Amino acid sequence: MTASPAPVLLHLIALALLAAFPWVGGEFYVDLALTLMILALFALSLDLLVGYTGLVSFGHAAFFGLAGYVLAMITPETEPVSLWAALAACLAASAAAALVIGWFSVRTSGIYFIMITLAFAQMLYYFLSESPAFGGSDGLFVNFRPVAAVGDWLLFDLDDPMVFYYFVLATLLAGYALLTTILRAPFGQVLQGIRINEGRTRALGFPTPRYKLVSFVIAGTLAGLAGFLEAVHTGYVSPGHLSWHESGIVLMVVILGGRGTLYGPVLGAFTFGLLRNGLQDVTEHWILFMGLFIVALVLFLPGGIAGLIRRAPKGGSQ
Amino acid sequence: MTDTTRARPSRRRFLAGAAATGAIASTGFVPTRFAIGGQAPVKVGILLPYSGTYASLGEAITNGMKMRIEQAGGTLGGRPVEYIAIDSEASPPQAPRHTKKLVIKDQVDFLVGPVHSGVALAMAQVVAGRDKPIMIIPNAGANALTRGQCARNIFRASFSNWQTCYPCGQVMADDGHKTVVTMTWKYAAGNEIMAAGTELFKEFGGAVIKDIRVPFPDVEFQAHLSEIAALKPDAVLAFFSGGGAIKFVKDYAAAGLKDSIPLYGPGFLTEGLTEGQGAAAEGIKTTLHYARTLDTPVNRMFLEAYKKAYNKEADVFAVQGFDTGSLLLQAIDATEGDTGADASPAMIEALSAAEVPDSPRGPWRMSEAHNPIMDIYLRQVEGGVNKILGVASRDLEDPATGCKLDT
Amino acid sequence: MDLAQFLVQALNGVQYGLLLFLVASGLTLIFGIMGIINLAHGAFYMIGAYLAYWLVGLTDNLFLAILLGIPIAVAVGLVIERLLIARLYDRDHLDQVLLTYGLILILNETQKILWGSDFHGVPVPEMLAGSVPLTENQAYPVYRLFISAVCLGVAAGMWLVIARTRLGMMIRAGASNREMTSALGINIGRVFAIVFALGVALAAFSGMIGAPVSSVYPGMGDRVLIISFVVVVIGGIGSVKGAFIGALLIGLADTFGRVLVPDFASMVIYALMALVLLWRPQGLFGRAP
Amino acid sequence: MSAPLLKTYALTKRFGALVAVDAVDLAYDRSGVHAVIGPNGAGKTTLINLLSGDLPPSSGGVIFRGQAVTGAPPDRISRLGIGRSYQKTNLYPSLTAEQSCRLAARSRRGSAMRFFRPAHRDRQTGEAAVRALDMVGLAERRTVPCGALSHGEQRQLELAMILATKPDVLLLDEPLAGMGRDESDRIIALLGQLARDHTIILVEHDMDAVFAVADELTVMVQGRILDSGPPGRVRSNPAVQDAYLGAGDGLGAGDGPS
Amino acid sequence: MSQTALLEAAGLHTYYGASHVLRGVDLTIRPGESVGLLGRNGMGKTTTIRSILGLTPPRRGKVTLDGRPVTGAPPHTIARRGVALVPEGRGIFPNLTVRENLTMGARPAPPDSPAEDWALDRVLTLFPPLGERLDTWGNLLSGGQQQMLSMGRALMTNPRLLILDEATEGLAPQVRNEIWSVVRAIKDAGIATLIVDKDLKTMLRVCDHCVILAKGQVVYAGPASALAADPEIHVRFLGI
C-alpha cells in the first residue's frame, strides 16, 4: 500500500518518457500515445472497482460513452463550449448515472454484479442507439473542442495538438494521483478491506454497501473523464462507445495489466494498444495472435504484467 | 443531419496545427512520380471490415477495387500501387485511431472505406478538410455523408441510403397497394431507408399503418411476423442485410405471409443472398443500383473476370469496389500521376465531374455533393436470381439537403 | 390485442424461449454447474453453425452433419479443457474471463481461416420444410416446431443425465462438494473435463440445429453469448430448471415487449434481468450464497 | 438489579429442518467472562452469529442496552459496541498486522469517508492499533502481513482487531484454538483483565482456559441451553460431563472401564 | 504384529498456507485394526486425516498403503486403494437423494477380496432408517440419519480402512449408541477403522490402539487398554 523506491523510480521514468514523447514520437505515434493515455485513465477508473473494491463491472463503458454524449449534446453546432462548463456537465452526468446504477448494483455481488452492470449498460446503449435525438446508431459529432478560457483570456488552446497532448497527460496524472491519494486515505483503506474480506470489514463497523457505492461513483466519474477526453480527441461519439465490447476491452486491459495496482492498468493499456496496433501492421491474422498472446499470458503470467514487476524486486508493497 | 461544414474550420485548424508542429518528426515529404522517377508507389489506404459480421463485404470491395486497377495495368497514373489495409472491425470507437494511422502515419494518397456508416462518420471527422488523402466511400450509405457532412475531399462510389429505396414507394403504388407495414432494424440505415421507401408511397396516397423496428442486430422476427399477419397490410416494405436478410426472408415465407402479403425492399434484402434464401425469396421485388443479372457487356465481362480472379460470384459490393477503382484511376489520371498536396485540387475537380461509363451497374456520374447519380433498377427474384424488370428510377440523384461544399 | 393474437404471441414467446434454452444449455452446464465463466460460449455456437454448413455441404444431410459434428465438438472441448481450463479451476474467476476472451479471438480467426467470411444459409431438411397453418393467414414453420421439440428433448435429456445417471450424480456431487466427491474415489478432474466437453458440444449442437433458421455468418456468436448469460443468471446459477424457466420467461417477455412496448423492446430483457436480480440476487432458482 | 446489557429472548435460528439455535434466552450484565461451551454442532457459533448480526434470527430477538437490535446489519452492531472474532481465521491476508488494526481502529473515528489525508498520518488510529497489538503481544510483528503470521499469531491478531474497535461487548469464537501454551496463557490473562470493564462472551474448547477465566458458564447442546451458572456448579453436573466425555454407554454400560 | 501395516504415516508435516499444523505425526494401522485418534480441538486430528487422504498433502513425510507410497497422490486414487472417509460434518451431498448419495461412489469389493461385498441391501440392513427414505434429498435427513448415510456411503466403496471423523458429534445419546454399535459391527466385519471422537469412554472400548495429538505432535501412542488404565492422561490431554 505504500510505494517502495523501485516503483517510484519506474514511475518517474515512465512519466519522463511520456512527457518527452511528443518531441520524438512522430505525429501518428503521438496521437496513438494520446489514445492509449485515455484508455489508461479509463482502465484506472475500472481498476478502482475491480482491483481495489473487488467489484467486477461489465458495464463500465456506459460512463465513458455517456460523458462523450453529453459533450456532443452541449457543444453548439457553430461554436465551442467552455471547457469548465463541459467538464462539469460531463462529470456530473457520469457521476449521476453511476449513482443510480451503483445504487442498484452494489446490493449484488460476484457474477450477479457483473451481470447487473452489464444489464444497465446495455439499456443505456440501446436507449442511445435507438434515439434519433441522440444521433441514433450513427452517433454524433463534436464539432469544436472546448475552450479553456477565463473570461476572454485563452488559458490554453486544446486545438493545438501539443497542448492537447499535455492536457491529456496532465489529466491522466491527476487521475493517477487522485486514486493514489484516495487509496492511501482512510476511504481507500476501507475499500481494500472490502476487497480482501468484505464480511470482516463490515463486522469491524463499516457500512460496506455505502463505501462500495461511493467507490462506484468515483470510478464512474473518472471513466466519464476519460470518455470526455476521448470525445474531445476524436470529435465523434457513437453508441459503440458504450457497448459491451468496450466494457470487455477495458476489463481485459485491467486484468492484462494487473489489477490491484495503479501502474498495472496503465501498462495494460499501452501493452494492449501497442500490441493490437503492431499486430495489425504485421499480419492479416492479428486477431489470432492477440488471442494466443492473451491465453499465454493467463497461463504463464498470473497477476498480469504488473505481476512480472512485482515478482522482480522481492518484497514489494503487497 | 445538421450542417456542420461551417464547423470544419476548427477541425482544420487543429489539423493544420498538427502539420505545423515543427517537432513532429514527419516531414510531409510526398513522393511523386516526378520526385522519384515514376517508381514511388501510390499509397491506397483501405479501412474495411475483415473480421466479424461484415468481413465478406470488406473482402468483396477490396477484390473489386484491385481487379479494376489490375485491369488498368496494375498501376495508378503509371506508378505502382501500395495497398495498406486495416481491419476496421466495423467498430466506430476504433475508427479514429485506424484512420489516423492511414492518414498520418502511412500518409496515404487515397483512403478507401468503410462499410459501416458509423465508421464512415468517424473517418470523415479525421479526413474532412484535409488536402490529402482523398476519401472514397465504397459502401456506407448514411445520407449525411453526402448531405450535411459532405466534404470537398470525400466521395462516395456506392449509394445513399435514400437512393436505394426511394423508388420503392412508386413500385408499391404501381402494384396497386394502399397500405404497407415497414419493418427493419432499429438503427440509422433502417430508418433512412424506410423513410425514403415510403416517401413516394404516401404521395401516391398510400398509408403506412405500422413501422416495426426490430432491435439491431436481432434476428428473432416471429413476434413481428404475427403482428403483420394480424394487421393484414397490402404489402410489407422491409430492409435487412446479410445473415439477417437471409433469415428474415426465410421466416417471412415460412410464416405463410409471402403469398398473401408481397414483400418489397431495397435490393440488399436479396442481392447475393438468394442462394441462402432459396425458394423463400421467389417473387420479392426490390430496387437497387445493381443486379447480377444486368445484361450488359460490361457487367458480363465483370462477372466473368471476377469469378476467374477470385473463384467467387461478384456481388453489389464487389461492383462498388470496382467503381471505387475507376474513381481512383480517373483522379490520378487528371494529374498524370501526381499525388502531391498541390495536385489535390485537380484530383478533386476531376472526381467532382467524374463520369463512370464502364461500371457493371451501368454508366453513372458524380453529383455535386459527391454521390453517384445513377439508375435504380426494379428487380424481382425469379428462379433464384434477381431478374431485372426495368429501371425504377432513371438518373436518381440524392437530394443532398444541407450539403455546402466550399470549393 | 385480441385473444387469438395473444395466443399466437404466447406461442411465439414460448417457442423463442425454448430456442434460448437450447442456445444457453451449454453455458448452463459449464457456467451454471462448474462455475467456469466461459465467454467463448458464443464462439462455440458459431463453430457449430459453421460445422453444420460445412458438413451439410459434404453430406447433403443435416442430421448426418450433426452426427459427424458432435464428436468434433466434444474433441475440441476436451482438448481445450485439458490444455487450458483445467489449469484455472483454482484461480480467480477473472483469469477465466481473460482466458476465454482470448479463446473467442482464436476461434473467430480460426473460423475465418477455415471457412472464410461469407454469409451462408443452410437449407432446412426437406422432410421438415413445410409449414402448418395457424391463423387465417399465418402459418408456423415445421422446422421451428421441430426445434422446439429438440429443445424440449435437450432439456429432458439434460435433466435425465443430471438427475438420473451416475455421471449426473457425480456432476451434482462435484458441484456441491469437490473434496468429498474425490474422497469417495471419483476422479473429479475427469468429470469436469466431460462436463466441459458436453457443454461445448451442446453449444455447437445448438449452432448446428439452429443453422437452417439463423443462417451462418462471422460474429454470429456475440449475440448468443450475452443472451445465454442472461438466461443462466435469471434462472439462478447451478439450476437447469432455473435456466429452462428463465429462458421461457425471457422468450415471453421479449416477445410481448416487442409487441406492447416497441420503443423499449431492446431493453426489456435487460430490465427483466435487473429486476429479477434486485428481487432475488441469486436468480430465480439459485441457491442463496 | 439493573436491566442486562445484552439480552436475548426466544432466540431461534433454523437452517431448513435443522434448528441450530433453539429458543435461547440469555442475559449478560455489564462485565465479566461468560463462557459458552458445548460439543461441536451445539449452536455456539450460530449464537455468536445471531448476536453479531451476521445472521438474522428466524424468530426471537436481541436487545442491547435496552434497544432492540434484532436483524440489524453487522456494521451497525459493531458500531454500537459489540465486536466479534471468528472461529475460522478471518483476516486480511495481504495487509500487515498493523494495517489491519488501523482499519479496525479507524471504524471508531467517525465515518471513513475521508479521501485525501493519508491514513497513515492519523496518529490516533495508529496509536490505537499499536496499543491493541501490544495488548495481545503482537507489537513486534506489526509489519508482517497477516498471511505470513503463524496460526497462533493470527488468532492473537483476531483479538487485537476487535480490541482496536474499542467494544463494550466482545464475542469471541474459539480465540485460543491453535495457539501455543504461552500464547494461550497470555490471552487468558488478557481476557481476565478485559473482563473487568468488558462483557466477554467466550466460546472455547480449551477447558483449562475456560475455568481459568469464566465468571459464568453456559453449556449448549443441540441448540439449547443445557445448564448455565457458576463454573464449579455447572462442571459437576453429570449431564454436562456426559456431553463432554460421553456417557460411556455407547455399547451398553458396564462392559468397560469407567 | 507380523502383518504389514495397512496404512503407515511417517513424519507428516502439514501446513495451511504459512501455518504449520502437523509437526511430524506418525501413525500405523494394521489390517482390521481399530485406531482411536484423540486430542482437543485444533490439535491436528482432522489435518492428519486430510494428509492421509491427500486432501491436504503433507509437505514432508510419507504415507504408504500396503507398503506402497501414496504420498502426494490425488484423493481419488487413495480412495480407490481402499480408504473411505466419514468426514466431520458428514459431508452429505444435499442435492443428491439418499440413494444417490449411497450409490454415487459405490465400488464393488475387489474380486480377490475375502470380505463380503457391501452392496446397497447390506448397507440398508445395517441402517434400516435409510431404507425408508431412499428418495429423500440428503439435506432433509435428521442429523443421525445423515451420519448413517455418511457411513453407509463410505461402506459402499468397500473400503479396507474407514476413517470416522467425529461420527457421533451433535447426536442424541440414543443415536450415538446406534452409531457406536455400527462402528463395532464394521470392525467385526474386518474393516480397519481410524476413529476420531470425543466420547473417550466408548472409544477406549472400541479401539485397539489410541494415539493422542497435541499441537500437531503425537503425545501418546499405545494400546487402548493402557490408556484406559491411566485417567491422568485423559485429564491432561483431553478432559474438562
Side-chain angles (χ1 to χ4, degrees), chain D residues 10 15 20 29 73 75 100-101 116 168 187 192 194 214-215 227 239 241 245 253-254:
Chain D
F15 298 106
D29 282 329
D75 54 283
S100 306
C101 287
F116 298 109
D168 298 322
I187 299 302
L194 290 169
D215 299 304
D227 194 6
Q241 282 293 331
L245 292 179

Side-chain angles (χ1 to χ4, degrees), chain A residues 241-277:
Chain A
H241 287 82
L242 293 87
S243 70
W244 69 267
H245 290 99
E246 297 297 306
S247 293
I249 284 175
V250 72
L251 185 59
M252 295 312 141
V253 165
V254 171
I255 306 173
L256 187 77
R259 53 195 180 275
T261 64
L262 288 180
Y263 55 87
V266 178
L267 286 173
F270 277 84
T271 309
F272 181 84
L274 292 174
L275 194 72
R276 180 169 64 177
N277 201 60

